[in-house]
Amino acid sequence: GCDGPQGATAPPLQRVPQSGARAARRDAVADDKASYDNVMAIFARSCLGCHGANKQEGSLRLDLPSAMKRGGDSGPIIDKNNPAGSEILRRITSVDDDRMPPDAEKLAPAEIALITDWIKSGLPGLPENDGISTKDNRLQHWAWNAITTPEFPAAINPSAEIAENNILNPIDSFVAKRLASTNLSPSPLAPLPERIRRLSFDLRGIPPSIEELERLTEIPDQQQAYQTAVDQFLADPSYGQRWARHWLDIAHYADTHGFERDQRRANAWRYRDYVIDSFNTDRPYNNFLEQQIAGDILNPTNQQAVIATGFLAAGPYDFVGQEETRNDTLRRAARADDLDDMVTQVMTSTCAITIHCARCHDHKLDPITQDEYYSMWAVFAALKRGDRPVFPSALEQHETQKRQIHEEIASLQARLAGVQGGGLNLADVVGGGNGFGTGKSGLGIDPLTGKTIEQRRGFLEGIALNEFRTSSVNGIDGVVIPNGKTVGANNQIAISSTGVRIAVPETSGQCWDAIRNGPVNSQHSTVLGGVDYATNHSLLGLHANVIITFDLNELRQTSQKTFSIFRASVGYFGETKSKGATIEVFVDGQSRKQLPSIGRADGIQPLEITLTDKDRFLTLAATDAGNGISHDQVCFVNPTLVIKEQPSQDIASQKKRELEIADIQALIHNKEQELKQLADPERFYGV
């Protein structure tokens, strides 16, 4: 109490009797809680074993209000707009197999009535929240808390002389305090030459030169001499080279893919140099991280920021699983591993935590849920690894210029062929060209479909043997993968759209990659007999077992030329020395040339087959000689349909023709030089 105005003592506080309305509300709350508690008691006895804290079948949990409101995999279990039609009431009253709980544990009629009344009454007594702390204890770890600046140890005098306390840096004061607490004394300061030598090893990974050591130790003030050494070694390019290695290890950087069929990354070094430069220029750490994760988005005009994203591609790459396999399941698994690598690399390097566990479930130790893991997965889901230009606009400009020059060269070559009676190149046709240089190197024909393909592949799956596939590529009638073992009398199969048939030998029925304008995937070599036929020659590359048929009529029509000869050189470019593959050339189903069981030791073989205007189909076949297709890489070198020569002319006309040929050849040479001098845009290995 307290004194009143006249010093009187105030009466003691009295409890005011509650009104009838307040008492009614109090009783109603109590009734609601009792109703909720009764329902939860039923759930505890019959439901929480499968839908509680330890187990949530169908993702349904009934012990937490928020989870109960949310429902499970099949949706909400309580319908707010139509409580009587709620799914949970249907399940507990069902007479079908979907009754919950199952028959052996079914609820009593009184229990069903209690739950039904509670739901129809609007869930009285159900708490607004779960009543548990939402603070994740895993977030109490020091790594997730804000950075603080500790106070300088009061027991240490920061102005004390260096020789006395060895305090060169604020960190040293903490060491000194700990030593003092255990009655230990610091070791004496090492002589200056030793400290400089240690410093050089720490910062550069190499000892100081004799000249450096002499120059630094001649400085009278030892503290100034040491500081000069620090500045000098930090400015040395070797500093970045030494310390970049630690980050490159974290980024698991390498110059090759790793995995099976390891392949070199010719432009990976640009990211390596970016990291070295970041140390040497003291790039701010936040900027260093931002550029590596999203530099091409944040600053697409900054060359270093774009190259920095090589960080995301630095890890191992399953080339076989992602690019060579024909199995969709294996490809998806390899892609999942690839995305997991990107996510874990970012989180491990920047937060120093594990995250792999969340790929299958919420992390048990680190504060990462499975939802968060796959949300991060989605961030990188559009990314693929590979060589890419630093600036895409530069690549577009370069490709446009290159295409224009190629078109000009092709036009000149076509003109030259017309003047000198040259030939039409079948490798160029396979590359989607007109036979006079417009085809794309590396492009090919898929033996499975007859369609154009650029992707490099390994063993083909889903092969339909002896089924001729027509091709939409101009001048190519179609393709077939042969095996004489699976056909009837005479081992004959169709090799043209008109049904022309030939006899084929028994083969393994396997096939590799595609028929290409150039070497096939994983070509053993392009050198034969000491000559590299990838230089200054055209190659029509194929791998046994495959047959390709050209439509001569279509080529005559589109080129407006007639042909007198098919001329080429052919050889086995695989590793097998002998009995590697059988090569055969047909004209309208008639064998014109056969090279049975040749190998690498047989060298290059010339081909020259006469053609008439009536001949329709030219067929090239390579089969595996009965010993499988390993290394059975066959190349037709400079495969040419020679254009029929023009009638003889008088001397003046002949002279004019020779001059015209020389002029065109000079123009072609100039264009080829222009193409060589066209600088390729800078590329780096990234995403």
Side-chain angles (χ1 to χ4, degrees), residues 35 116 313 342 403 437 442 471 535 555 577 610-611 618 628 637 664:
S35 177
T116 301
M342 291 185 191
R403 184 170 59 254
S471 175
T535 304
L555 292 172
K577 291 184 179 180
T610 303
L611 300 174
L618 174 68
V637 181
I664 298 172

Side-chain angles (χ1 to χ4, degrees), residues 117-177:
D117 290 343
W118 181 68
I119 291 175
K120 287 182 178 181
S121 300
L123 315 180
L126 183 70
E128 291 296 324
N129 55 58
D130 294 338
I132 60 174
S133 173
T134 57
K135 183 75 172 179
D136 191 330
N137 291 329
R138 294 172 299 179
L139 292 173
Q140 301 307 306
H141 191 271
W142 63 264
W144 301 107
N145 294 319
I147 296 174
T148 59
T149 302
E151 293 184 3
F152 199 86
I156 304 298
N157 180 5
S159 61
E161 291 192 15
I162 294 173
E164 182 179 344
N165 288 318
N166 288 358
I167 297 176
L168 305 178
N169 183 285
I171 294 175
D172 294 334
S173 64
F174 291 93
V175 177
K177 180 181 179 181

Side-chain angles (χ1 to χ4, degrees), residues 527-530 533 569-583 593-607 623 625 627 631-635 637:
V527 177
L528 200 59
Y533 288 98
S569 298
V570 64
Y572 181 90
F573 284 77
E575 186 178 28
T576 307
K577 291 184 179 180
S578 62
K579 298 181 180 179
T582 292
I583 302 167
K593 182 72 174 181
Q594 186 182 49
L595 300 171
S597 301
I598 68 168
R600 187 169 187 81
D602 295 301
I604 203 79
Q605 304 287 323
L607 290 177
T623 51
N627 58 0
H631 289 294
D632 283 355
Q633 299 141 9
V634 171
C635 288
V637 181

Side-chain angles (χ1 to χ4, degrees), residues 362-631:
D362 290 351
H363 206 299
K364 304 299 182 185
L365 301 176
D366 288 322
I368 303 292
T369 67
Q370 191 175 25
D371 282 350
E372 289 167 337
Y373 171 87
Y374 282 104
S375 295
M376 291 190 64
W377 219 58
V379 171
F380 302 109
L383 305 184
K384 291 190 176 182
R385 307 171 195 250
D387 277 334
R388 58 163 287 185
V390 176
F391 300 120
S393 58
L395 177 64
E396 293 172 8
Q397 182 181 1
H398 176 268
E399 290 298 320
T400 299
Q401 291 175 322
K402 188 165 70 172
R403 184 170 59 254
Q404 289 173 346
I405 295 173
H406 273 301
E407 288 173 354
E408 291 171 2
I409 291 174
S411 178
L412 288 168
Q413 288 175 333
R415 182 178 157 197
L416 179 63
V419 173
Q420 67 180 10
L424 183 146
N425 190 294
L426 295 182
D428 186 71
V429 172
V430 168
N434 61 3
F436 299 106
T438 61
K440 183 176 181 180
S441 178
L443 207 64
I445 307 297
D446 187 347
L448 298 177
T449 65
K451 297 178 180 179
T452 296
I453 186 172
E454 188 166 7
Q455 175 191 3
R456 296 276 170 173
R457 298 183 305 181
F459 285 103
L460 304 187
E461 295 181 4
I463 294 174
L465 292 170
N466 303 320
E467 290 191 15
F468 183 78
R469 304 291 187 183
T470 57
S471 175
S472 59
V473 178
N474 183 62
I476 299 178
D477 189 46
V479 293
V480 60
I481 301 173
N483 184 2
K485 182 179 180 180
T486 64
V487 294
N490 301 321
N491 296 344
Q492 289 198 337
I493 66 171
I495 48 91
S496 82
S497 57
T498 62
V500 174
R501 304 177 73 83
I502 64 170
V504 293
E506 181 179 329
T507 71
S508 65
Q510 292 181 307
C511 194
W512 175 276
D513 194 34
I515 305 162
R516 296 198 179 271
N517 179 18
V520 298
N521 184 30
S522 301
Q523 178 96 20
H524 171 69
S525 175
T526 56
V527 177
L528 200 59
V531 177
D532 187 353
Y533 288 98
T535 304
N536 299 322
H537 296 275
S538 64
L539 294 177
L540 196 167
L542 45 85
H543 200 299
N545 299 292
V546 72
I547 294 173
I548 180 170
T549 297
F550 295 90
D551 189 332
L552 298 178
N553 281 353
E554 196 171 55
L555 292 172
R556 292 185 188 106
Q557 183 178 0
T558 55
S559 67
Q560 295 296 301
K561 306 292 181 185
T562 57
F563 313 115
S564 58
I565 296 171
F566 168 59
R567 179 181 294 147
S569 298
V570 64
Y572 181 90
F573 284 77
E575 186 178 28
T576 307
K577 291 184 179 180
S578 62
K579 298 181 180 179
T582 292
I583 302 167
E584 196 162 6
V585 180
F586 300 85
V587 176
D588 288 338
Q590 300 298 313
S591 179
R592 294 289 191 89
K593 182 72 174 181
Q594 186 182 49
L595 300 171
S597 301
I598 68 168
R600 187 169 187 81
D602 295 301
I604 203 79
Q605 304 287 323
L607 290 177
E608 186 160 312
I609 296 171
T610 303
L611 300 174
T612 70
D613 293 344
K614 295 181 180 180
D615 294 330
R616 170 75 187 276
F617 297 114
L618 174 68
T619 301
L620 310 180
T623 51
D624 61 21
N627 58 0
I629 66 169
S630 179
H631 289 294

Side-chain angles (χ1 to χ4, degrees), residues 6 523 657:
Q6 271 80 36
Q523 178 96 20
R657 177 170 171 266

Side-chain angles (χ1 to χ4, degrees), residues 658-669:
E658 291 173 358
L659 291 173
E660 186 177 1
I661 290 172
D663 288 342
I664 298 172
Q665 288 174 333
L667 289 172
I668 292 173
H669 175 75

